[in-house]
Every structure is written in C-alpha cells, then in structure tokens.
C-alpha cells in the first residue's frame, strides 16, 4: 500500500463517528418477540394435531386388519368372530399389557393370537381395542387409552356378515367417545 492511501484510510477511520442507530431498539426487539410468539401459538397446536393423527394411523391399520380377519373367519366358519383367538387364525394379534406408551416401548409385546380376550391394548399402548358382536355385525373400536385418552383420535370398524360389507372410520373428534360405525 502506498503511504498516501494509508494516511487517507487512517484519517477516514479516525473521523468516522459511530452512530447509536446501527443497533436494534428495544421496541424493535419486543415486536420481533411478539411476532415469534404469535407464530408459535399457531404452529404448536398444528404439530400436536399432526402427531395425534399419526398415532391414529396405527389404530386404523389394526382395526382394518382385524375387520378383514373377521370377514375371513366368517367365510370359513359361517359364524361371526367373537374373540381375539378367532381373529388370530388370520392375523397376528399382539398387544401391550398396559395403557402406557413408555412402558410398551421397552416391554415385550404379548401374543394374543390364542387369547379369549375381547379387549386388549395396541402394541404401542396408545389404544385399547374392543371387539363386540351384535347380530350379524362384528364391531371393532380402537379408543385412546391411558394418559392419551383425552388427546387422541379413535377408530371404529365393522363387518356385516349378512351383506359382506366392511367399513373402517377414523374419528375427527378427540377423546374416547367413538361410536360403532354402521356397515
């Protein structure tokens, strides 16, 4: 660098004044924090709802499988499936012994394929599965269980042996008030 350029640079830097306006004001920072708070208050419930719907897919898959198994049982025996062991001839029925997701993650799943149960917990522990026969219909419901009981979405399924129709419906209302579906 030339000496004249150095002198000019030093002179410029020494004469330059630092302005206090180069930083953010307290009001600007508060506005940003408020905007972030508003956006998070909108986003967090949406993420929570998406999580609950993802958990519902487990129950929906189970109920659909059990409904198809009830249909296969009727096709083979000409009578409605009434217990887990009836469905267990066509699908593997596993579950957890408690309605506790943390426990179910570490505990070994129970094999309910030969069980006489009409109610059991899903392998994740988030749902309790109920099986009920009424006339020509086999009803299956997966209701949120344990600490998840008021936060989750249920699933209902039905197989009608007189018409051969089967139906699975996912609830859009949180909680355990999932009615039997008509098929």
């Amino acid at each position: 660098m030339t000496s004249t350029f150095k002198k000019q640079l030093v002179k410029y830097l020494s004469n330059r004044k630092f302005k206090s306006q180069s930083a953010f004001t307290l009001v600007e920072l508060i506005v940003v924090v408020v905007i972030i708070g508003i956006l998070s208050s909108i986003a967090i419930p949406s993420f929570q709802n998406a999580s609950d719907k993802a958990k519902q897919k487990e129950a929906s898959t189970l109920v659909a499988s059990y409904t198809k198994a009830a249909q296969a049982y009727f096709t083979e025996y000409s009578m409605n499936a009434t217990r887990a062991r009836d469905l267990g001839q066509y699908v593997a029925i596993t579950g957890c012994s408690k309605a506790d997701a943390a426990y179910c993650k570490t505990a070994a799943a129970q094999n309910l394929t030969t069980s006489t149960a009409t109610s059991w917990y899903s392998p994740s522990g988030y749902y309790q599965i109920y099986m009920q026969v009424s006339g020509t219909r086999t009803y299956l419901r997966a209701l949120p269980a344990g600490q998840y009981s008021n936060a989750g979405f249920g699933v209902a399924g039905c197989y009608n042996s007189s018409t051969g129709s089967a139906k699975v419906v996912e609830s859009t209302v949180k909680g355990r008030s999932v009615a039997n579906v008509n098929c």
Side-chain angles (χ1 to χ4, degrees):
M1 286 207 294
T2 64
S3 62
T4 56
F5 177 71
K6 287 182 185 177
K7 288 179 187 177
Q8 287 178 344
L9 181 61
V10 169
K11 183 178 177 183
Y12 169 77
L13 291 174
S14 64
N15 289 336
R16 192 177 78 168
K17 296 182 180 176
F18 293 102
K19 298 179 180 179
S20 63
Q21 295 175 349
S22 64
F24 293 112
T25 66
L26 181 61
V27 172
E28 290 170 329
L29 290 174
I30 290 173
V31 167
V32 169
V33 169
V34 167
I35 290 172
I36 290 171
I38 291 170
L39 291 175
S40 65
S41 70
I42 293 169
I44 289 173
S46 295
F47 290 134
Q48 182 65 37
N49 202 17
S51 172
D52 292 339
K53 286 301 232 179
K55 289 173 184 160
Q56 184 186 32
K57 291 300 178 189
E58 175 208 13
S60 183
T61 301
L62 290 173
V63 169
S65 295
Y66 299 155
T67 302
K68 288 177 185 173
Q71 188 174 14
Y73 184 85
F74 181 80
T75 301
E76 188 167 338
Y77 295 103
S78 298
M79 56 191 308
N80 285 328
T82 58
R83 307 221 177 267
R85 69 176 172 211
D86 298 340
L87 302 178
Q89 295 179 37
Y90 305 96
V91 294
I93 299 178
T94 57
C96 188
S97 60
K98 295 182 181 180
D100 181 2
Y103 171 80
C104 294
K105 285 181 183 177
T106 58
Q110 291 180 314
N111 183 0
L112 301 167
T113 304
T114 59
S115 171
T116 60
T118 58
S119 173
W120 58 92
Y121 293 108
S122 67
S124 68
Y126 287 120
Y127 288 90
Q128 186 167 12
I129 312 291
Y130 292 96
M131 182 176 181
Q132 174 188 5
V133 176
S134 178
T136 61
R137 292 186 174 105
T138 301
Y139 295 105
L140 292 150
R141 291 188 303 154
L143 304 179
Q147 62 187 6
Y148 184 64
S149 63
N150 292 327
F153 296 97
V155 177
C158 174
Y159 168 66
N160 187 338
S161 58
S162 66
T163 63
S165 65
K167 188 175 186 179
V168 176
V169 176
E170 295 179 347
S171 175
T172 57
V173 179
K174 287 188 175 188
R176 292 183 57 90
S177 60
V178 177
N180 285 332
V181 67
N182 210 1
C183 58

